[in-house]
């Protein structure tokens, strides 16, 4: 059964686009047919995060305006079988598309793909309304910051008001060193406040910046903790029961030695 | 493992910054979720004042109304409450006709 999942957050810069890219690649690697839609018209970025920026011919606005067939606008990612991108227009604004058109487009794409994943723009205006119009479920991304959690709360309220019930939460960019010092809200604090189900936590990881610099997803990097976190979320989307990552466990050579001693004591 | 931050915490009376963040966030969300802005609370306060003044003479200067957190009966969970503090000057004699 096909699903349309919107990735949203309210606040900008918390990792919606990075999450969309990594979950999309992760699902494709698992053998699913996936299309990613960038709905951030005027500020498109999913193309560069995926490394597909040089291959854009048509975009979302061309599709809804009928300037091309939907298939013509889809960019096939040659690295990952089954992964496609529908990029946003860069020269128009959010009003170039309306929620009705998005609903129609999502219904059309659902026939062809296992997963339609929508990268939502920041904010709660037209762009948000477009992004959620055709969605069956929602994943809300937040970081352990007061502003991001507040905006996530607002988004959860708006999703429920639009009959997208039971959204799931990704807590992104957790720094365990700060959590331990008591200088960063922990997972329990945030879940207690937002009162929604958790689909994954992603540690703050330099690898994300490095791989994004290269236009590669992190989800395939076996050494990256964030990559592992995204692989876990992909499996949870597919319905597997995977325990939430223990970020406290030290890794690397130092971690190996510490874990060795901890085991004996 | 030897953890300096733990030891530092024992000696400082400061609340950890994440607790401050959590408490501020909880309060701001009460306002966000109920859509009660400070202007609306002010309006509410004025209307309550008019109603109560019909029956009781109150000290309008010290009349205060605000949203806050209270410990619930079991002592474990917190509930949000609209708290009004209304100092009474004198009760009016109400003559029922």
């Amino acid at each position: 059964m096909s699903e349309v999942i919107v990735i949203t957050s309210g606040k900008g810069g918390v990792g919606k686009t990075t999450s969309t890219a990594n979950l999309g690649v992760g699902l494709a690697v698992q053998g699913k047919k996936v299309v990613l839609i960038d709905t951030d018209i005027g500020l498109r970025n999913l193309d560069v995060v995926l490394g597909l920026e040089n291959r854009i011919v048509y975009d979302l606005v061309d599709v809804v305006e009928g300037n091309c067939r939907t298939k013509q606008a889809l960019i096939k990612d040659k690295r990952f079988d089954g992964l496609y991108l529908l990029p946003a227009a860069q020269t128009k604004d959010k009003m170039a598309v309306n929620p009705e058109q998005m609903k129609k487009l999502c219904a059309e794409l659902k026939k062809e793909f296992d997963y339609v994943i929508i990268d939502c723009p920041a904010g709660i205006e037209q762009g948000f309304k477009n992004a959620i119009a055709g969605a069956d479920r929602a994943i809300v991304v937040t970081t352990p910051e007061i502003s991001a959690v507040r905006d996530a709360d607002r988004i959860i309220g708006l999703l429920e008001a639009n009959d997208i019930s039971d959204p799931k939460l990704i807590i992104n960019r957790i720094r365990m060193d700060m959590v331990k010092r008591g200088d960063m809200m922990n997972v329990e604090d945030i879940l207690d406040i937002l009162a929604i189900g958790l689909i994954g936590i992603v540690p703050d990881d330099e690898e994300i910046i490095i791989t994004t610099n290269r236009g590669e997803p992190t989800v395939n990097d076996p050494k990256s903790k964030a990559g592992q976190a995204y692989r876990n979320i992909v499996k949870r989307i597919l319905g597997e029961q995977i325990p939430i990552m223990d970020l406290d466990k030290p890794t690397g050579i130092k971690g190996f030695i510490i874990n060795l001693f901890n085991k004996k004591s | 493992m030897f953890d300096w931050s733990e030891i530092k915490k024992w000696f400082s009376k400061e609340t950890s910054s994440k607790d401050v963040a959590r408490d501020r966030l909880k309060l701001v969300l009460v306002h966000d979720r109920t859509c009660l802005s400070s202007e609306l609370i002010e309006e509410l306060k004025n209307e309550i004042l008019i109603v109560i003044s019909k029956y009781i003479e109150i000290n309008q200067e010290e009349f205060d109304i605000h949203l806050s957190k209270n410990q619930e009966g079991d002592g474990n969970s917190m509930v949000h409450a609209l708290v009004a503090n209304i100092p009474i000057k004198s009760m009016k004699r109400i003559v029922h006709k």
Side-chain angles (χ1 to χ4, degrees):
Chain A
M1 204 192 75
S2 301
E3 259 189 334
V4 182
I5 305 175
V6 61
I7 313 284
T8 182
S9 72
K11 189 177 177 298
V14 298
K16 282 180 297 295
T17 302
T18 307
S19 295
T20 306
N22 280 290
L23 296 179
V25 172
L27 285 165
V29 167
Q30 293 291 316
K32 299 292 172 188
K33 208 172 168 204
V34 185
V35 60
L36 309 179
I37 309 179
D38 188 349
T39 58
D40 203 348
I41 300 167
L43 291 168
R44 76 170 170 215
N45 271 324
L46 187 53
D47 54 336
V48 281
V49 171
L50 281 166
L52 297 174
E53 68 274 18
N54 293 326
R55 299 194 35 219
I56 297 176
V57 181
Y58 296 109
D59 56 49
L60 176 61
V61 175
D62 290 321
V63 170
V64 298
E65 286 181 352
N67 299 336
C68 66
R69 282 176 288 113
T70 307
K71 269 197 179 151
Q72 285 178 292
L74 298 182
I75 301 166
K76 182 177 161 42
D77 193 322
K78 289 169 185 159
R79 300 161 298 179
F80 311 106
D81 213 25
L83 183 66
Y84 293 78
L85 168 70
L86 177 53
Q90 183 71 332
T91 52
K92 310 263 173 42
D93 67 50
K94 309 282 191 275
M95 303 304 277
V97 175
N98 67 47
E100 275 311 309
Q101 292 168 322
M102 281 302 295
K103 258 188 210 167
K104 226 179 99 197
L105 176 65
C106 288
E108 183 191 344
L109 289 169
K110 248 172 120 168
K111 288 181 203 149
E112 285 284 318
F113 292 90
D114 299 316
Y115 287 95
V116 180
I117 302 184
I118 299 170
D119 185 17
C120 177
I124 54 174
E125 297 85 17
Q126 181 81 15
F128 170 75
K129 287 172 192 159
N130 286 339
I132 66 166
D136 301 312
R137 338 164 26 184
I139 292 178
V140 177
V141 184
T142 191
T143 60
E145 286 158 88
I146 194 163
S147 48
V149 178
R150 182 194 196 178
D151 291 0
D153 188 81
R154 184 105 169 81
I155 287 297
I156 293 162
L158 288 170
L159 287 170
E160 276 163 8
N162 284 281
D163 293 321
I164 302 177
S165 55
D166 197 23
K168 294 280 184 265
L169 187 71
I170 291 179
I171 305 177
N172 195 14
R173 282 201 217 120
I174 297 180
R175 282 185 52 184
M176 276 323 285
D177 54 332
M178 291 190 74
V179 170
K180 271 196 199 162
R181 283 203 306 263
D183 282 331
M184 184 175 269
M185 282 188 280
N186 61 37
V187 174
E188 289 74 38
D189 291 329
I190 296 167
L191 290 181
D192 177 43
I193 287 168
L194 294 179
I196 64 168
L198 183 69
I199 197 163
I201 56 176
V202 183
D204 193 35
D205 187 350
E206 287 182 4
E207 277 303 311
I208 290 276
I209 296 171
I210 297 166
T211 50
T212 307
N213 283 344
R214 301 203 160 98
E216 292 161 2
T218 317
V219 66
N220 288 337
D221 184 347
K223 297 190 301 286
S224 158
K225 262 197 152 183
Q228 177 64 51
Y230 279 120
R231 287 197 291 280
N232 289 350
I233 297 170
V234 164
K235 286 183 184 158
R236 290 187 199 110
I237 291 174
L238 293 171
E240 280 182 54
Q241 300 287 328
I242 310 273
I244 294 292
M245 224 172 159
D246 182 8
L247 296 181
D248 225 4
K249 231 160 85 187
T251 52
I253 289 186
K254 191 176 141 207
F256 177 76
I257 295 165
I258 291 169
N259 287 335
L260 209 68
F261 279 105
N262 282 349
K263 243 177 241 167
K264 285 186 178 156
S265 59
Chain B
M1 278 296 286
F2 197 62
D3 196 345
W4 269 114
S5 59
E6 279 295 317
I7 292 159
K8 257 196 263 172
K9 230 185 276 170
W10 288 348
F11 289 101
S12 82
K13 289 192 184 79
E14 234 176 280
T15 333
S16 65
S17 70
K18 77 106 178 171
D19 286 335
V20 178
R22 191 195 51 209
D23 293 343
R24 288 176 57 218
L25 189 54
K26 278 188 176 173
L27 200 57
V28 84
L29 286 183
V30 177
H31 287 265
D32 287 357
R33 286 175 185 174
T34 53
C35 301
L36 269 182
S37 61
S38 21
E39 294 93 72
L40 268 173
I41 288 189
E42 196 58 33
E43 225 171 278
L44 176 68
K45 180 181 157 178
N46 290 335
E47 283 191 42
I48 290 176
L49 227 143
I50 292 166
V51 175
I52 294 180
S53 299
K54 278 191 198 168
Y55 303 92
I56 307 167
E57 200 182 329
I58 59 175
N59 184 344
Q60 298 202 0
E61 296 287 291
E62 283 172 41
F63 176 64
D64 172 53
I65 182 165
H66 62 272
L67 281 165
S68 83
K69 284 177 295 179
N70 280 342
Q71 210 117 58
E72 220 175 352
D74 59 9
N76 294 324
S77 49
M78 302 292 272
V79 282
H80 294 281
L82 190 64
V83 178
N85 188 13
I86 312 169
I88 300 172
K89 272 191 185 163
S90 71
M91 302 289 272
K92 283 183 183 169
R93 285 191 187 84
I94 300 164
V95 182
H96 295 280
K97 286 177 188 168

